[in-house]
Amino acid sequence: MKKTVLVLSPHADDSELGMGGTVAKHVREGDDVYVVCIATHRSDDIRIAQFESAVKTLGATPLEAQRGRFNDGKVGESMADLVSTIDDFKNKIKPDILYLPYPSVHQDHVAVYEAGLRSARISLSDRQWFIPTVLVYREPVSQIDVYATGLKFDLFSILDDADIKRKMDAVECHKSEILPYPHPSSPKYLEYEARNEGGRCGVMFAEAFAAVRMAI
């Protein structure tokens, strides 16, 4: 059954680094996928162009929050505004699945994760779209925990060679951001990580997720 998928990316490259293979898989399976970049500066033309190119490489639709509304490093300064913005995307797109970033050491990741949880709440208002499945992805660059979440990354998205190639191609679009191996943003590192996650569930490639809520 065709699904609608919403991915929240704190910055222009987080979704590709963390779950680019799964975005490609959703598209391959016929789902409609929307990736929202939250943090931008008014002068971010290069990074936004790279974000749009990367998401389109995966076959998904790139969207951004209002340019300059949430500045890099300061996304959580107005939590109510951030939740309202995510609500607007949620109510317009009406996703079956929401992907949130793990609240790692970067304050913007914490803010988007927490705002996403609040947006995904069961609301008393029938104007708020209810998202049946809410999953969390990790990107490899900022993996230091700020607080205990109780999340367990024991759900695996099994990927094929084409999914991984699309992920690598998408990451390469972020020329101003990625660094050479062994930096975690490098395509070579990300391929090794996908192989490692695949080994955890007996396949060649995979990406791991944690469930906040999962309707099956």
Side-chain angles (χ1 to χ4, degrees), residues 148-165:
T149 63
L151 296 170
K152 294 183 178 181
F153 283 80
D154 52 7
L155 299 175
F156 296 93
S157 173
I158 298 172
L159 308 175
D160 65 16
D161 292 347
D163 300 328
I164 290 298
K165 184 178 187 309

Side-chain angles (χ1 to χ4, degrees), residues 57-78:
T57 295
L58 296 172
T61 301
L63 303 170
E64 62 172 297
Q66 182 180 334
R67 185 72 61 91
R69 187 174 186 178
F70 303 102
N71 287 315
D72 195 339
K74 300 179 180 180
V75 166
E77 285 189 340
S78 176

